[in-house]
């Protein structure tokens, strides 16, 4: 158990919500970020509090710098410290080939998945760095196996944004390793979440499960356990690294 504080972006559903529940169960005070729909986030807060934990929700679009700044200010006012950040917020658009994509789609994907992660990482480092009076901490960036596989014919823009997130993970890990901060990534594969519906194919995991060596899609809880391990003291000598939670795909 711990009395540490964690901020999880995009935490109202799917992998983010699973991370929030598991973090709370392990004693973290949890700041749950959502972009627009606050109802699921508030329901998650209630579930955590009903289980004896501490949590609160902050609505903020991480692609907007002013909203990121406000979110961190609310976190400072509520808990006064930050020990862990999970950059989980991510979006994709409907499946299509690169030749069909326009600039506005690509910019929208990168604004949340890349710029948002940079901004949140920046604010986390400012609070965690031992060179700035912080107590150290850990960051986990939730990437995707698509960053390696390419997601051809579906989401090459999403895959490219996650590849950029992987580079952020490696570069930032080296920058802050001497300041008490570890930075790692988790790359989920085919996970049963609502994100597939937002891409236009709710049954995508079922369609592709036979391409997974383990023969099934994964669950959000399975990703959350990898995230929480990387945040824990058990991973004290691990930084700039990745865990693929993908059933071997």
């Amino acid at each position: 158990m711990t009395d540490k504080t964690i901020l999880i972006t995009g935490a109202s559903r799917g992998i983010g919500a699973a991370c929030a529940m598991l973090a709370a169960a392990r004693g973290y005070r949890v700041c749950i970020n959502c972009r627009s729909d606050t109802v699921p986030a508030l329901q998650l807060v209630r579930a955590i509090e009903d289980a004896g934990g501490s949590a609160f929700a902050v609505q903020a679009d991480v692609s907007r710098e002013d909203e990121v700044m406000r979110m961190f200010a609310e976190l400072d006012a509520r808990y006064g410290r930050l020990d862990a950040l999970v950059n989980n917020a991510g979006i994709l658009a409907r499946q299509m080939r690169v030749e069909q994509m326009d600039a506005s789609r690509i910019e929208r994907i990168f604004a949340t998945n890349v710029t948002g992660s940079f901004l949140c990482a920046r604010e986390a480092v400012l609070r965690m760095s031992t060179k700035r009076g912080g107590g150290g901490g850990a960051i986990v960036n939730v990437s995707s196996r698509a960053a390696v596989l390419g997601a051809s014919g579906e989401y090459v823009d999403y895959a490219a944004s996650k590849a950029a997130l992987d580079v952020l993970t490696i570069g930032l890990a080296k920058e802050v390793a001497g300041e008490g901060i570890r930075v790692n990534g988790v790359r989920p594969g085919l996970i049963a979440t609502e994100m597939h519906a937002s891409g236009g194919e709710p049954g995508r995991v079922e369609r592709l499960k036979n391409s997974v060596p383990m023969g099934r899609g994964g669950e959000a809880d399975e990703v959350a356990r990898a995230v929480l391990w990387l945040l824990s003291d058990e991973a004290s000598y691990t930084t700039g690294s990745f865990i693929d939670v993908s059933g071997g795909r």
Side-chain angles (χ1 to χ4, degrees), residues 60-72 111 115-116 119-120 122-123:
D61 183 343
V62 298
S63 72
R64 294 178 53 89
E65 188 169 23
D66 59 334
E67 296 194 20
V68 170
M69 298 293 287
R70 174 178 54 78
M71 175 174 67
F72 275 86
T115 303
L119 294 173
C120 291
R122 180 192 72 193
E123 293 304 307

Side-chain angles (χ1 to χ4, degrees), residues 187-226:
R187 288 189 287 233
L190 287 168
I191 308 299
T193 70
E194 298 172 17
M195 178 169 266
H196 301 286
S198 66
E201 189 185 358
R204 184 170 178 267
V205 173
E206 182 66 22
R207 174 174 65 86
L208 293 174
K209 69 179 184 181
N210 290 333
S211 69
V212 179
M214 289 183 69
R216 66 174 178 86
E219 299 296 331
D221 287 345
E222 295 177 297
V223 181
R225 287 194 288 271

Side-chain angles (χ1 to χ4, degrees), residues 157-174:
D157 52 351
Y158 172 81
S161 74
K162 292 299 189 177
L165 184 59
D166 287 355
V167 176
L168 168 62
T169 301
I170 295 166
L172 182 61
K174 293 177 179 178

Side-chain angles (χ1 to χ4, degrees), residues 8-239:
I8 305 170
T9 65
S12 62
R13 64 177 188 171
I15 291 170
C19 288
M21 289 298 297
L22 185 57
R26 296 187 180 179
Y28 282 93
R29 298 173 296 183
V30 186
C31 177
I32 296 166
N33 160 253
C34 62
R35 182 178 60 177
S36 54
D37 185 2
T38 60
V39 173
L42 292 173
Q43 291 173 339
L44 184 57
V45 168
R46 283 195 293 271
I48 289 172
E49 291 179 339
D50 287 347
S54 174
F56 80 109
V58 178
Q59 182 278 322
D61 183 343
V62 298
S63 72
R64 294 178 53 89
E65 188 169 23
D66 59 334
E67 296 194 20
V68 170
M69 298 293 287
R70 174 178 54 78
M71 175 174 67
F72 275 86
E74 291 189 33
L75 173 66
D76 292 340
R78 181 65 174 259
Y79 289 138
R81 62 182 288 178
L82 178 65
D83 304 281
L85 166 69
V86 180
N87 269 321
N88 171 73
I91 61 171
L92 50 71
R94 295 187 68 85
Q95 295 167 328
M96 64 175 60
R97 290 165 55 98
V98 171
E99 67 214 43
Q100 299 171 292
M101 297 177 184
D102 59 23
S104 64
R105 168 189 165 122
I106 298 166
E107 289 166 357
R108 187 169 64 253
I109 298 294
F110 273 71
T112 294
N113 299 3
V114 182
T115 303
S117 296
F118 265 85
L119 294 173
C120 291
R122 180 192 72 193
E123 293 304 307
V125 168
L126 288 171
R127 287 158 175 80
M128 294 176 181
S129 172
T130 55
K131 287 188 177 179
R132 294 178 173 272
I139 298 171
V140 172
N141 295 321
V142 179
S143 177
S144 171
R145 277 296 290 167
V148 178
L149 299 173
S152 59
E154 295 185 319
Y155 319 110
V156 173
D157 52 351
Y158 172 81
S161 74
K162 292 299 189 177
L165 184 59
D166 287 355
V167 176
L168 168 62
T169 301
I170 295 166
L172 182 61
K174 293 177 179 178
E175 280 190 4
V176 299
E179 299 172 32
I181 305 171
R182 297 182 299 103
V183 186
N184 292 287
V186 171
R187 288 189 287 233
L190 287 168
I191 308 299
T193 70
E194 298 172 17
M195 178 169 266
H196 301 286
S198 66
E201 189 185 358
R204 184 170 178 267
V205 173
E206 182 66 22
R207 174 174 65 86
L208 293 174
K209 69 179 184 181
N210 290 333
S211 69
V212 179
M214 289 183 69
R216 66 174 178 86
E219 299 296 331
D221 287 345
E222 295 177 297
V223 181
R225 287 194 288 271
V227 171
L228 267 292
W229 181 80
L230 286 169
L231 294 174
S232 76
D233 290 340
E234 292 184 349
S236 58
Y237 196 53
T238 302
T239 197

